[in-house]
Amino acid sequence: MTSRQRFFVASLLCFSVLVMGTAGYMVLEGYSLTDGLYMTVITISTVGFGEVRPLGPGGRAFTSFLIAAGFAVIGFLGHALGESFLERIASASSERKRMKKLISELKGHYIICGCGRVGIAAAEHFEKSGKDFVVIDSAASRKDLLEARELLHLVGDATSEELLNEARIKTARGLIAVLPSDPDNLFITLTARELNPTLHIIARAEEASSERKLLRAGADNVISPFATAGRQIASNMLVATGDSREIENVCTFTLPDVTSQWVLVQEGSSMAGHTVETVAAEMSRKIVGLRRKETDSLDPHPDFRIEEGDMLLVIEERQAEEEKPQGPSRMRRVAVVDDNPVILGLYTRLVQRAGFVPMGASDGSEALGLIRKEKPDAVVIGAKLPIINGLEVCRRVRADDSLRDVRLVLFTDQDTPESRKRAKEIGVNAYVVKTADAAKLIETLLNLFQPSQTGENPS
C-alpha cells in the first residue's frame, strides 16, 4: 500500500469513528446530533472537557471503547501523514542524487542552455538520435516539464561557471546557447570557451549586431531563429514556384550528408582578393552565402571578389574515404603540432577559422612524417614534444631541401635569449611565447604570408 493509499484509509477510519461515536451517544444516552458529535470529538481528542450530562453505565463503557478506537485511528492517521511527508522529501533528494550521478558519468555529450521552444526542439532531436545531453534552465516552471520527460537537467543560471562544470563541460562535445537574451548567450559562450577550448559552440542571436560579437567570443556558429525561418519560407516558395536555380541550393541544405559553416576572412588571409569561384574551388567547398558588414548575399556571383572581413557561408558534402579528392589543396595549409590535446584542438580550430586548411600531430615523430608527406605551407610546433622535440623537428625540416619553403613557427612557453638564439640558428621563421592571447599566434601566422615577409623572423 502506498503512502497516499494509507492516508486515504486512515482518513476513512477517522470519519467512521466520528459517525460511530455520534450514533452511539444518540442511541445509548439519547443525545441530540450536535451533542453526540461534540461528545465524540472531545472524547477521541482527550481534551478533558466535561460531559454534556452524566453518563450511565452503558455510556461509560462506550466512551472507554471510543477512546481506545480514537487513539488507534488518530495514531494511524498521524503515521500516514508523517510517512507521506518524509517520503516526498526523500524522493526528491533521491531523484537529485540520481540525476547528479548520471550527469557525472557523461562524456562526449551535449549541453543545452535554455529550455524554451528552440531548446526543447534541440533536446527532442538529440533524444531521437540517441545522444546524451544535459539541459540547463533557471525557470522552475520548466522543471516539471523536464522531469515529466525524464530528461537529464540542472536547474539554475546557465551562465554560472559552477553549473557548467556540474554539467561536465570539460568532457562535453558541444554546447548550444539558446537563451532568449543575447548578452546571456554571449556570457555563456565566453565562459564555455574558457572552460573547454575544444568545445563546439552554437549560439542563438536575436539581433544581427550580436552575431559578430558571439563569433569573437568563441562561438563556432551563430543562428538566428527568425532569420532562418524566413529564409526557409522563402526557399520553400521558390521551390514551389519552380525556380530550379534555388531548388539546388535549398535541397543541398536538407541533405543529411552536407554540413554548413561560416568562415571569417581575416586580415592577411590568402582568400582576400580572389573570386568566389576560385576560393570555392581551392577549398573544395561550395560558397552559398557572403556577408559583408551588414549586407548578406545569397549565392554570390562566381566573379565576386572576396575582401578581408567578409563572412563566407560554405557547405561541404561528406564523402566516403575512397571518394575524397586526393592531393594537396592549393589553399595554404598549416600543420599544428602539440602534445596537449586541448591546445591542439583549440589552435586547429582557430587556424581553420583564419582561412587555412589545418592538419595536426601530437608528437615529433608523427609531425616529421606528416610534414614530409604533406609539405604544408607552415608548421606551428611546440618546443617540448614526445619522441622528438620541436627544435629537432625544425632542424631536420631545414636540412631537407624539399621542405625549404615550409615556414616554421615555434610555439613555446620558454622566453629566454638563449632559446630565441637557438631557434634563429636553426632557421625558425617565427618565435611565439604561449599566452592566454590566442590571437597572437594567428596574427603571427598570417604575417608569414605577407608579401614583405622575408621568412626569417624568430621574434
Side-chain angles (χ1 to χ4, degrees):
M1 188 182 296
T2 65
S3 59
R4 180 172 294 184
Q5 290 173 330
R6 281 192 291 271
F7 176 73
F8 176 75
V9 171
S11 300
L12 185 61
L13 288 175
C14 187
F15 178 75
S16 300
V17 169
L18 286 173
V19 173
M20 180 186 65
T22 302
Y25 282 118
M26 291 175 67
V27 172
L28 296 174
E29 297 295 332
Y31 285 178
S32 64
L33 176 62
T34 54
D35 288 344
L37 179 61
Y38 172 75
M39 279 295 297
T40 302
V41 171
I42 66 173
T43 299
I44 63 177
S45 63
T46 67
V47 296
F49 289 149
E51 303 163 353
V52 175
R53 59 175 179 268
L55 299 174
R60 292 192 184 98
F62 178 74
T63 300
S64 300
F65 167 77
L66 191 60
I67 291 173
F71 267 123
V73 170
I74 291 176
F76 183 46
L77 179 62
H79 178 269
L81 281 171
E83 189 176 51
S84 177
F85 178 73
L86 293 174
E87 187 178 274
R88 181 166 298 183
I89 294 177
S91 176
S93 177
S94 176
E95 180 62 23
R96 284 194 298 270
K97 289 180 180 178
R98 186 186 72 86
M99 188 78 65
K100 288 184 178 181
K101 184 177 184 300
L102 290 174
I103 294 174
S104 68
E105 296 172 351
L106 292 178
K107 188 175 181 181
H109 59 291
Y110 300 92
I111 300 173
I112 302 173
C113 298
C115 189
R117 288 176 293 180
V118 177
I120 282 294
E124 289 175 348
H125 188 73
F126 283 144
E127 192 174 19
K128 289 178 182 177
S129 302
K131 304 298 182 182
D132 293 328
F133 63 94
V134 180
V135 180
I136 303 177
D137 198 281
S138 59
S141 59
R142 297 196 178 105
K143 180 181 177 182
D144 295 337
L145 172 63
L146 294 170
E147 288 179 348
R149 297 194 177 197
E150 298 183 349
L151 302 179
L152 293 182
H153 63 278
L154 295 170
V155 178
D157 184 2
T159 64
S160 166
E161 182 176 329
E162 180 181 353
L163 202 62
L164 289 173
N165 279 323
E166 192 174 338
R168 303 277 293 167
I169 190 172
K170 294 185 184 296
T171 63
R173 178 176 297 177
L175 179 142
I176 301 175
V178 286
L179 293 176
S181 166
D182 285 357
D184 285 343
N185 289 329
L186 178 63
F187 195 85
I188 290 172
T189 301
L190 286 168
T191 306
R193 181 58 70 204
E194 180 182 352
L195 293 174
N196 187 345
T198 63
L199 193 70
H200 191 89
I201 301 173
I202 298 178
R204 169 181 177 172
E206 293 292 328
E207 302 293 336
S209 59
S210 300
E211 294 187 24
R212 187 173 293 274
K213 295 177 184 177
L214 286 164
L215 289 170
R216 288 176 178 173
D220 295 283
N221 299 93
V222 178
I223 60 169
S224 177
F226 297 109
T228 302
R231 284 193 292 268
Q232 185 63 49
I233 292 171
S235 298
N236 290 346
M237 178 59 72
L238 292 171
V239 172
T241 54
D243 192 326
S244 58
R245 184 167 177 268
E246 291 296 334
I247 290 175
E248 181 182 356
N249 291 336
V250 174
C251 293
T252 302
F253 277 101
T254 59
L255 290 174
D257 57 348
V258 170
T259 56
S260 62
Q261 180 183 11
W262 282 101
V263 175
L264 173 63
V265 182
Q266 297 199 23
E267 184 179 353
S269 173
S270 59
M271 292 185 286
H274 293 283
T275 64
V276 168
E277 183 179 23
T278 301
V279 173
E282 294 184 349
M283 294 178 70
S284 299
R285 298 179 183 179
K286 185 174 183 179
I287 300 176
V288 296
L290 186 144
R291 174 171 297 165
R292 179 169 293 172
K293 296 182 179 178
E294 299 299 326
T295 303
D296 290 346
S297 300
L298 180 64
D299 193 16
H301 194 276
D303 295 332
F304 192 88
R305 291 198 174 273
I306 295 171
E307 298 179 359
E308 295 177 352
D310 288 347
M311 291 284 293
L312 308 178
L313 180 59
V314 300
I315 60 173
E316 177 182 17
E317 292 188 7
R318 300 174 187 165
Q319 301 172 332
E321 196 65 33
E322 62 273 10
E323 296 176 348
K324 290 185 178 179
Q326 301 299 316
S329 169
R330 289 177 295 166
M331 293 296 294
R332 286 169 180 159
R333 299 177 301 155
V334 176
V336 181
V337 186
D338 202 288
D339 61 334
N340 186 324
V342 174
I343 293 178
L344 180 62
L346 171 62
Y347 283 97
T348 298
R349 192 181 301 278
L350 291 175
V351 163
Q352 183 180 29
R353 290 181 62 185
F356 299 101
V357 178
M359 53 191 72
S362 57
D363 62 63
S365 177
E366 182 185 0
L368 201 56
L370 178 68
I371 296 168
R372 286 171 175 168
K373 179 182 178 181
E374 300 292 341
K375 294 181 175 57
D377 296 281
V379 178
V380 177
I381 187 167
K384 299 177 181 178
L385 294 174
I387 307 179
I388 305 175
N389 67 55
L391 283 173
E392 178 60 20
V393 172
C394 292
R395 189 190 67 77
R396 296 188 188 185
V397 170
R398 283 290 171 256
D400 191 334
D401 289 339
S402 66
L403 303 175
R404 62 180 179 273
D405 293 331
V406 176
R407 295 165 174 82
L408 299 174
V409 179
L410 191 66
F411 192 42
T412 176
D413 53 5
Q414 297 180 349
D415 188 16
T416 63
E418 293 79 9
S419 58
R420 288 181 177 272
K421 180 181 178 181
R422 187 179 177 192
K424 186 174 182 179
E425 291 172 349
I426 290 174
V428 172
N429 297 83
Y431 190 101
V432 179
V433 180
K434 290 182 178 180
T435 66
D437 184 9
K440 175 62 177 175
L441 176 61
I442 302 302
E443 180 183 353
T444 301
L445 194 58
L446 291 170
N447 287 337
L448 288 178
F449 297 102
Q450 295 291 344
S452 61
Q453 181 66 35
T454 61
E456 302 248 353
N457 181 31
S459 57

